[in-house]
Amino acid sequence: MSFVDVITNKRDGRALSREQIETFVDGVTSSAIPDYQISALLMAIVIRGMTHEETGWLTEAMARSGARVDLSDIPGAKVGKHSTGGVGDKVSIVLAPLAAACGVVVPKMSGRGLGFTGGTIDKLESIPGYRIDLSIDEFKRVLREVGASIIGQTGSLAPADKKLYALRDVTATVESVPLLASSIMSKKIAEGSDAIVLDVKCGGGAFMKDVDGARMLADAMVAIGARAGVRTEAIITDMDAPLGTSVGNSLEIVECIETLKGNGVPDLVDVVMALASRMVVLAGVEAESGAARQRVDSALSSGRALETFQRMIAAHGGNAQVVDDYSLLPSAPGRTSFTAGRGGYVTRVAAEFIGRASHALGAGRSTVDDPVDHGVGVIVLNRPGDRVREGQPLAELRHRNERGLQEALAFCAQAIDIGDEAPASRSKILGEAR
Amino acid sequence: VTFVEIIARKRDGRALTREAIDFAVAAITTGTAPDYQISALLMAIVLRGMTAPETAWLTDAMVRSGDRVDLSDIPGVKIGKHSTGGVGDKVSIALAPLAAACGAIVPKMSGRGLGHTGGTLDKLESIPGFRVDLSIEEFKRVVREVGTCIIGQTARLAPADRKLYALRDVTGTIDSIPLISASIMSKKLAEGSSALLLDVKCGDGAFMRDRDAAQMLAEAMVAIGAHTGVRTEALITGMDAPLGNTVGNALEIREAIETLRGHGPADVMTLVTRIVSRMLVIGDIEPDQQAALARVQDALGSGRALETFARMIDRQGGNARVVEDDSLLPQAPARTEYAAPRAGFVTRLGAHAIGQASNVLGAGRARVGDRIDHAVGVVLQVAVGDQVQERQPVLELHHRDGRGLDEALALCRDAVRIEDAPPSPGPRVLGEVR
């Protein structure tokens, strides 16, 4: 069977066989299939969809297209975590040491930021000396000693996905639940965890704009995990407003440390606690969520989670004293407030525009090789529902010599709405999939 | 607007603007759009469709992507003709001189055969000396002197279509009424005729297998013609059995000459006179079908049609004496009959299999650039509906020393069906679109 027959099968709305999908992924990996045929098939998949079965086969084939991390010689249950990405999303940095302090092994490979969302790897690199490019052996040693390690994704995991993603980005074929789900899950499965928790973000600052789309994506990923023998659970969380108060690399590290000290803002703490409890249950450390929750609370309040974070930083070559002395972190000298143009209630803090403001100040990158400024960013001082007076500061912008400041202030004006009535309060956690 | 945005718009099922289509075709022509983006757009068009205005804009942009033949300095009404291709389709060869003998100007650019269908150019090249590669200047001179000329398509006509077609062929994106109709019409409109008659073939030996699809294609092309100010009509004609009694290059030239003498097979005579009379009507040469038919009969009966063919051959460098002496045409050295395996009524002479049989004898090419044997082919000894005795010859294979003979005989077995009851007769002309 020629590859054109595979394309026409999907074009005509028929399901592909396991063999056809394996031929496809092998051909992508080896570059035997030309890009123009791959993109034609991708578009047919976007429009015709894929069954759960097809999506599972695609995921497995992509996971097998490269190396798979073998964590079997590390004692304990390994639970991975993935977020679909949002603004101010520092959950992984708090969650990894917290879950490790509860007895879960958390091997985490993260990405860099691109566009208006930040990247966990960029945030961690604002800690002086922190190395994200550990070898797999070093990674495993840190996991064994600390229980958690966060490193960058290696190019050898799921190379088929890497290639497909690059092509999807330039052919308008990103928006597809089966393709998104298999892309994420192929990398997570290749990372070698026994179980996975997923944080599917939904709202203006997320890739998935509405709850229905987020739920379909969550369900698809949970189904893939079940099929691949990796227990997978997902929570769907709101990303209309940024998560927590800080957006920008070192600013978010400070907020993470504060959260590990027990001083986190409720929305961030809610998401972290929900995920940590699920990880404790998935790891079999506790049998049910009530006991899991207690264990997580105790790890946080006892200071063990913070201490685990320190050990993780030290094991990665970073300066662990940052948890006690924030002046060791990069900090931009300029500070400018964005103030309320009128009195009333904050009705909206749009994550996307706060993300763009931080990006304009230099915290993010527009192309893969741009350098990032770890010291700049935005601190959101008010949440939706807060009552504010005219002229009251709503956000503090940390900038370097006013670079991007005017643009950032304009984005803040687009981001924050003030009205006469308080908006209905809404939980950060919108649903879950198991 | 970017190419990716255009892809996304079509992916989401929205119509493209004229500007977007112009931009896309320009990017395809100049090579600034990479193949993988073009194929993603093509697949989105195949699955989402195009409106009549979008299809007309696409056609128009493809016409403008290259040269347009300027025939304005040639007096008379220029009427083009195009067939979507079938087996034994020698209509153009008889029709062009016949219509010219009736006062129409018929400038015709044709293609070569590929797959199971033959090509008008290949057939004409079986006439010793006949040149199909005239320059545009030579072409116009012959058109002016004779009233008709048949040459090969030049690469400078609709280069965007050429590029798209090559990509569609390898990405499963051929089957799309808007893309097929825009492809055909862009070439025809670039040829500079002021009216156009289309023969849309439908059935076993045609690209369009079923009647509904042929109807849609015919309507789409007529709508494009109306949109661009070129009066266009289409006939939908059956292609379940080969047209006429011969399949193969020189064999078909012989039959075309017989037709111009007024002694062609009934189905060829009917189709040729029907198409030419419509051409005379849409070209305003005759006011109605009846007057047009009378003019056609006169051109045939007086010998002017055959004489016009002889002049066309002569002006294109060929030996015009072939019209009097067909022994000047190449002849295969050997003949083998395929006989009826049983007595009964011939209910099927499958055009596709007979076309393939002729091909494997050497009359066609499997890929562009293959050499063809002008002498070989298949002669039908009976017609669908005829009653035959056991072992009565049904097909006569003209071959060169047995080359491809076994395979051709096997294809003949697939092609011929003989049953106890006669088939219900179907007309050759199935419908028309004006």
Side-chain angles (χ1 to χ4, degrees):
Chain A
M1 156 168 290
S2 81
F3 191 69
V4 176
D5 295 328
V6 177
I7 300 173
T8 54
N9 250 348
K10 182 46 72 183
R11 177 197 72 194
D12 296 342
R14 289 191 291 268
L16 302 181
S17 69
R18 181 171 198 141
E19 289 65 34
Q20 288 176 327
I21 287 172
E22 286 173 354
T23 302
F24 168 51
V25 173
D26 288 349
V28 169
T29 311
S30 67
S31 297
I33 301 175
D35 286 351
Y36 54 80
Q37 290 188 330
I38 299 171
S39 64
L41 179 61
L42 289 171
M43 182 57 80
I45 291 172
V46 168
I47 296 178
R48 293 298 199 182
M50 275 186 145
T51 65
H52 275 323
E53 205 169 39
E54 288 176 281
T55 311
W57 291 331
L58 176 60
T59 310
E60 282 169 45
M62 292 201 296
R64 275 189 281 106
S65 70
R68 183 164 177 165
V69 182
D70 181 3
L71 300 176
S72 59
D73 53 343
I74 296 175
K78 277 72 70 179
V79 184
K81 180 258 175 181
H82 180 78
S83 159
T84 59
V87 176
D89 182 5
K90 68 274 296 174
V91 169
S92 290
I93 299 168
V94 183
L95 182 66
L98 175 58
C102 297
V104 181
V105 178
V106 188
K108 173 111 184 78
M109 294 190 181
S110 291
R112 297 201 175 269
L114 190 62
F116 64 83
T117 62
T120 297
I121 290 301
D122 295 321
K123 295 169 193 175
L124 285 168
E125 280 188 331
S126 66
I127 299 170
Y130 191 99
R131 282 180 54 216
I132 57 98
D133 57 348
L134 303 190
S135 70
I136 293 295
D137 284 340
E138 291 173 308
F139 177 58
K140 287 170 70 170
R141 190 163 62 240
V142 177
L143 285 175
R144 206 174 275 118
E145 288 169 6
V146 182
S149 176
I150 305 179
I151 63 170
Q153 269 150 9
T154 84
S156 61
L157 294 192
D161 171 68
K162 202 180 191 80
K163 174 132 187 207
L164 283 184
Y165 197 87
L167 201 51
R168 287 168 59 206
D169 201 33
V170 292
T171 55
T173 50
V174 170
E175 285 91 339
S176 154
V177 166
L179 293 178
L180 286 167
S182 56
S183 171
I184 293 169
M185 291 300 287
S186 65
K187 281 177 291 198
K188 290 293 130 187
I189 288 169
E191 285 173 24
S193 297
D194 306 311
I196 297 168
V197 290
L198 300 165
D199 181 3
V200 179
K201 303 284 188 195
C202 147
F207 182 72
M208 285 289 167
K209 303 296 177 199
D210 66 285
V211 175
D212 290 343
R215 174 159 294 284
M216 280 198 289
L217 179 59
D219 287 342
M221 292 193 290
V222 168
I224 291 169
R227 186 171 282 277
V230 180
R231 267 187 79 188
T232 303
E233 295 188 0
I235 62 171
I236 297 160
T237 63
D238 175 68
M239 189 33 77
D240 274 335
L243 191 59
T245 60
S246 301
V247 179
N249 300 295
S250 67
L251 295 175
E252 294 192 45
I253 292 294
V254 171
E255 190 175 6
C256 289
I257 296 168
E258 284 298 312
T259 305
L260 286 166
K261 285 176 177 171
N263 305 323
V265 292
D267 61 348
L268 175 59
V269 171
D270 286 351
V271 173
V272 168
M273 297 301 279
L275 287 167
S277 304
R278 292 319 309 163
M279 289 170 82
V280 167
V281 173
L282 281 171
V285 174
E286 295 286 358
E288 49 86 30
S289 53
R293 180 74 187 214
Q294 278 180 3
R295 183 179 277 263
V296 175
D297 279 337
S298 145
L300 198 60
S301 58
S302 66
R304 276 185 290 118
L306 182 65
E307 185 210 322
T308 304
F309 186 43
Q310 278 184 295
R311 289 198 290 126
M312 184 180 101
I313 294 172
H316 279 257
N319 184 348
Q321 283 179 288
V322 293
V323 306
D324 297 314
D325 182 359
Y326 299 153
S327 72
L328 295 170
L329 290 166
S331 173
R335 295 181 185 201
T336 299
S337 292
F338 173 78
T339 56
R342 54 162 286 190
Y345 291 95
V346 175
T347 55
R348 172 172 167 268
V349 180
E352 178 180 352
F353 292 107
I354 298 292
R356 288 188 193 284
S358 172
H359 190 269
L361 296 172
R365 49 172 77 78
S366 299
T367 68
V368 178
D369 297 321
D370 286 351
V372 301
D373 187 336
H374 290 104
V376 299
V378 179
I379 299 174
V380 180
L381 302 172
N382 289 281
R383 324 290 309 151
D386 286 359
R387 186 166 191 151
V388 295
R389 296 179 318 279
E390 186 182 339
Q392 180 179 332
L394 300 177
E396 185 180 286
L397 281 64
R398 300 281 177 93
H399 54 90
R400 200 168 297 278
N401 306 322
E402 303 195 356
R403 178 190 160 198
L405 181 61
Q406 291 313 313
E407 205 188 335
L409 285 167
F411 278 130
C412 287
Q414 270 185 283
I416 302 175
D417 291 345
I418 296 170
D420 294 328
E421 285 174 38
S425 71
R426 168 178 183 192
S427 164
K428 267 286 175 194
I429 299 172
L430 305 175
E432 58 179 0
R434 290 185 193 180
Chain B
V1 68
T2 67
F3 207 93
V4 177
E5 286 164 1
I6 293 172
I7 302 171
R9 194 173 172 85
K10 185 43 73 183
R11 176 198 68 200
D12 296 341
R14 287 178 295 167
L16 302 179
T17 62
R18 179 168 204 151
E19 289 67 35
I21 288 171
D22 284 348
F23 173 87
V25 171
I28 290 162
T29 310
T30 58
T32 54
D35 286 352
Y36 53 80
Q37 290 187 333
I38 301 169
S39 65
L41 178 60
L42 288 170
M43 183 57 80
I45 291 172
V46 168
L47 292 175
R48 298 300 197 189
M50 275 187 145
T51 64
E54 280 180 288
T55 310
W57 293 332
L58 173 63
T59 309
D60 188 50
M62 293 202 296
V63 170
R64 283 186 284 105
S65 73
D67 294 346
R68 186 162 183 168
V69 181
D70 182 3
L71 300 174
S72 59
D73 53 343
I74 296 176
V77 190
K78 275 73 75 176
I79 310 170
K81 181 260 175 183
H82 179 78
S83 160
T84 60
V87 176
D89 184 4
K90 66 278 295 174
V91 169
S92 289
I93 297 165
L95 161 152
L98 175 57
C102 292
I105 303 294
V106 187
K108 174 121 182 70
M109 294 192 181
S110 290
R112 298 204 174 267
L114 190 60
H116 72 277
T117 63
T120 296
L121 297 184
D122 297 321
K123 294 169 194 176
L124 285 169
E125 281 183 337
S126 64
I127 299 170
F130 196 97
R131 283 178 57 211
V132 299
D133 59 347
L134 303 191
S135 70
I136 293 295
E137 288 317 308
E138 291 173 309
F139 174 64
K140 286 171 69 169
R141 193 163 59 238
V142 177
V143 170
R144 198 179 280 116
E145 289 173 12
V146 182
T148 186
C149 182
I150 305 180
I151 61 168
Q153 273 150 5
T154 84
R156 281 159 40 201
L157 294 193
D161 173 67
R162 188 169 290 258
K163 169 107 201 220
L164 282 183
Y165 197 86
L167 204 49
R168 285 167 61 206
D169 198 34
V170 292
T171 54
T173 50
I174 297 280
D175 293 337
S176 154
I177 298 285
L179 292 179
I180 297 167
S181 56
S183 171
I184 293 172
M185 291 298 285
S186 66
K187 280 176 293 199
K188 289 295 129 188
L189 295 175
E191 287 172 22
S193 293
S194 42
L196 186 56
L197 204 293
L198 302 167
D199 180 4
V200 178
K201 302 283 187 197
C202 155
D204 172 70
F207 179 68
M208 289 287 158
R209 296 301 175 92
D210 74 293
R211 177 75 178 78
D212 289 346
Q215 180 79 26
M216 281 196 290
L217 178 61
E219 285 173 3
M221 292 193 290
V222 169
I224 292 169
H227 213 271
T228 45
V230 174
R231 191 167 166 193
T232 304
E233 285 190 11
L235 292 181
I236 298 163
T237 62
M239 189 31 79
D240 281 332
L243 189 63
N245 299 332
T246 58
V247 179
N249 301 291
L251 293 171
E252 295 192 46
I253 291 294
R254 244 176 226 119
E255 195 165 270
I257 293 167
E258 283 305 302
T259 302
L260 288 167
R261 283 205 174 100
H263 304 309
D267 58 351
V268 180
M269 292 303 302
T270 305
L271 200 50
V272 168
T273 53
R274 176 84 178 260
I275 294 176
V276 174
S277 57
R278 283 318 303 170
M279 288 170 74
L280 299 180
V281 173
I282 63 172
D284 282 327
I285 291 167
E286 289 289 357
D288 58 54
Q289 182 94 3
Q290 207 170 358
L293 266 174
R295 188 186 274 254
V296 169
Q297 294 307 338
D298 181 58
L300 284 171
S302 66
R304 276 186 290 116
L306 186 64
E307 184 206 324
T308 304
F309 187 41
R311 285 199 292 132
M312 181 185 106
I313 293 172
D314 180 63
R315 293 298 188 285
Q316 296 198 238
N319 185 347
R321 287 194 299 132
V322 295
V323 307
E324 306 299 340
D325 179 3
D326 66 10
S327 70
L328 295 170
L329 290 167
Q331 288 179 58
R335 297 176 189 195
T336 298
E337 277 170 349
Y338 173 77
R342 54 163 287 191
F345 291 93
V346 177
T347 56
R348 178 174 175 272
L349 294 168
H352 190 265
I354 292 174
Q356 280 185 309
S358 170
N359 258 10
V360 300
L361 294 175
R365 47 174 78 81
R367 67 195 71 206
V368 179
D370 284 355
R371 281 181 60 89
I372 65 174
D373 186 336
H374 288 104
V376 300
V378 180
V379 177
L380 283 65
Q381 315 276 43
V382 298
V384 171
D386 286 358
Q387 190 164 14
V388 293
Q389 304 305 314
E390 190 179 343
R391 288 198 289 280
Q392 178 179 335
V394 174
L395 301 172
E396 184 182 65
L397 280 59
H398 291 225
H399 57 93
R400 197 171 295 278
D401 309 324
R403 180 192 160 194
L405 184 60
D406 291 343
E407 202 183 336
L409 285 167
L411 285 160
C412 290
R413 270 192 293 281
D414 290 343
V416 177
R417 192 156 62 215
I418 298 170
E419 293 175 282
D420 294 333
S424 48
R428 208 28 110 153
V429 177
L430 304 172
E432 57 184 331
V433 178
R434 293 185 186 174

